[in-house]
Amino acid sequence: MTYQGILDRARKFERQGRAGEAAAAYAEAAEAMEARGDLAPAVAARARCARALAAAGKTGEAQRLLDTLDRGAASMPAAVRAGLDAQAAHVMAAAGRTGEAARRAWAAMSAFWALHDAKRADAAGVHAARLIVKDAGPREALRPLRELMAQMPPGGDGHRQVAKLLADAERRPDRDHDVLITDPGSAAWGRLAAALAVGAHLAVGNGVAWNTLNHDDPGGDRDLLERDWGITDHASWREQMDGLLEARNSDPAIQMVLDRRGRGTDQGAWRAAIVAWCRERDVAEQTVHEVVEMSGLILRYESRFRADGLLPPDGRVESVYGYDFGRAVNMARWGLNAGYCDAEEAEKCVLTAGQRANQVYTSWGAFSAGYVLGRMLRFDDGEFGEWYERSVAGHRVLAEEPESPWRRMAWG
């Protein structure tokens, strides 16, 4: 029998779940190849043998064979090394070395893409993603899954499968926050629903229904308003609400800095425009320094936004007013439940917030980027820490989940 026939028999054993017999057949094929001097395919066959041995429970023998193959892999063609990495990932996973397995699968994916072998690259990428989740757990898997997905061409089956794994990790069942909840008893479309969706970032982050103003914790809302906002009655609630609706709650210097940047302006010209604006108004030198530095921080966030999908490749943030408008929607919810306003006033505030957001932004994505930048400049201060991670998680839920209001309703 030719070694091609032996390989066919080995694959048949694999499909039938007869791993031990498959391993023996792969070893036999490799010996036949070596006898004819076909060393590269022999390495590939022995790598498949190692995987079959691991599947048969002989992980120690599989790892020893793998170590031998790794020592000679440097002289092998790139395609053989890529295949070895792909099979090594299965062997290491069977041996409980999940982190190493994920790294080998990732290396295989990168090598297969370099070889323009999309089918095997997709398979290796999906295998790496599954191993990452298994090794790190859903929360710690978020960053590497995003980095992995960024290396996979959009539109392919592998990209879709990894995107689903990422979405599942972001919507873990072990938490009551960063999840999309839609109240079945309230409208999920229409003018009021579209305005409520402007406040969906915080609703998702807090694990409450985005499409209703009512929920069952009035005492909690009163505590929140007093602790975080100094609100204890209708007058103090209304004062804060007006500040949000007029976009006066956030630092006005942020919008001033954004407004000084013309379309196509480079960083040097942008800084010069900021300085000139400040000089005309006799702004103190320390303040000038701070706002110029802010422009650099904004550029850092925008670069990260593009990498993480909050902005398109050539996108940038034009306004942070969305941060105030989004919070205004939630301020209406908190005020209504705390008893500081009635339903009619709360709904009017929500509709105003939605209308003003529509006047400033051109899409849900542009609004989300403005909202997140405003939030980051207040709380994250360039650390890209938990504030950032959770904001990105909320954006992804709203931008990608089929039932999201951002997917079901057109902007404006």
Side-chain angles (χ1 to χ4, degrees), residues 68-377:
T68 300
L69 295 172
D70 279 338
R71 285 194 291 271
S75 61
M76 291 289 108
V80 175
R81 296 198 303 273
L84 180 57
D85 279 330
Q87 303 308 326
H90 290 279
V91 173
M92 291 177 173
R97 298 161 61 185
T98 316
E100 294 175 74
R103 287 188 285 275
R104 293 297 288 265
W106 194 322
M109 179 197 72
S110 300
F112 284 134
W113 281 125
L115 293 165
H116 307 290
D117 189 340
K119 184 176 180 180
R120 296 176 77 185
D122 268 356
V126 172
H127 190 209
R130 289 172 176 159
L131 290 167
I132 288 167
V133 174
K134 183 177 180 181
D135 180 60
R139 177 177 290 276
E140 298 303 320
L142 294 177
R143 185 185 298 275
L145 284 177
R146 291 174 190 138
E147 293 173 354
L148 177 71
M149 194 166 70
Q151 295 185 19
M152 305 179 77
D157 183 61
H159 189 276
R160 285 192 293 271
Q161 291 189 57
V162 175
K164 185 179 185 305
L165 287 168
L166 175 60
D168 289 343
E170 290 174 334
R171 298 190 297 274
R172 312 189 301 282
D174 63 329
R175 67 185 179 195
D176 59 1
H177 56 82
D178 296 345
V179 292
L180 178 69
I181 299 174
T182 303
D183 182 357
S186 301
W189 60 87
R191 183 164 169 254
L192 179 60
L196 284 166
V198 168
H201 255 293
L202 268 177
V204 165
N206 294 332
V208 301
W210 67 269
N211 64 322
T212 181
L213 285 171
N214 298 295
H215 62 85
D216 300 324
D217 188 19
D221 283 343
R222 282 193 292 271
D223 290 343
L224 178 151
L225 289 172
E226 183 174 6
R227 180 188 69 240
D228 296 345
W229 296 84
I231 293 172
T232 57
D233 54 21
H234 175 268
S236 53
W237 173 84
R238 188 71 232 191
E239 181 182 2
Q240 292 287 2
M241 174 60 80
D242 289 342
L244 292 169
L245 290 175
E246 295 166 13
R248 291 187 285 102
N249 185 275
S250 296
D251 183 354
I254 301 171
Q255 193 60 46
M256 180 278 291
V257 168
L258 289 172
D259 288 343
R260 304 283 74 74
R261 176 169 56 173
R263 177 60 60 182
T265 302
D266 62 25
Q267 185 174 0
W270 185 18
R271 290 183 173 225
I274 295 168
V275 171
W277 187 93
C278 293
R279 293 279 187 268
E280 291 172 2
R281 290 158 180 81
D282 294 325
V283 175
E285 285 300 319
Q286 180 59 35
T287 303
V288 174
H289 175 75
E290 290 172 359
V291 293
V292 167
E293 289 300 303
M294 184 187 295
S295 69
L297 183 56
I298 289 170
L299 288 173
R300 286 182 58 205
Y301 275 115
E302 288 178 329
S303 176
R304 184 66 176 271
F305 285 7
R306 296 184 197 101
D308 289 338
L310 275 76
L311 282 174
D314 60 346
R316 64 187 200 177
V317 177
E318 302 291 348
S319 172
V320 291
Y321 289 161
Y323 183 49
D324 279 4
F325 300 148
R327 288 183 296 160
V329 171
N330 291 274
M331 181 61 72
R333 176 180 291 118
W334 300 326
L336 176 62
N337 285 279
Y340 298 149
C341 69
D342 58 24
E344 181 179 359
E345 186 175 15
E347 288 189 10
K348 184 177 180 181
C349 290
V350 169
L351 291 169
T352 300
Q355 180 185 30
R356 292 182 180 177
N358 292 157
Q359 292 171 344
V360 172
Y361 299 98
T362 58
S363 67
W364 288 112
F367 161 75
S368 185
Y371 177 94
V372 174
L373 180 60
R375 194 181 198 202
M376 293 307 98
L377 293 175

